[in-house]
Amino acid sequence: MKDLGYGAGYRYAHDEEGGIADQQHLPDELVGRRFYEPTGEGQEAAIRERMRAWEALLRERRRKSGG
């Protein structure tokens, strides 16, 4: 499959700083759309904070790379 180009440019998240790879997997028309917004209640509060930390990490990487 590699000889057909499958996986070209794929970045394995576990090899990236913070365990998150900045990659687009959705079609362009869905980029930036939210499919889940955790509440501030119960376990969702922890999920919300984790998601915010990921977003901050990606913003900082983009800022540093100029993207």
Side-chain angles (χ1 to χ4, degrees), residues 5-61:
Y6 287 95
Y10 179 78
R11 293 167 50 203
Y12 186 59
H14 297 280
D15 290 341
E16 300 288 325
E17 178 186 349
I20 186 169
D22 190 6
Q23 298 184 95
Q24 178 181 327
H25 298 284
L26 294 171
D28 290 340
E29 60 270 11
L30 296 178
V31 171
R33 185 170 172 191
R34 285 237 184 232
F35 295 93
Y36 171 66
E37 191 68 47
T39 69
E41 304 297 322
Q43 286 292 70
E44 288 196 18
I47 293 168
R48 182 175 63 183
E49 292 308 309
R50 190 174 317 130
M51 288 173 67
R52 287 180 177 170
W54 293 334
E55 291 164 356
L57 175 66
L58 291 173
R59 269 194 312 275
E60 181 63 16
R61 279 191 202 161

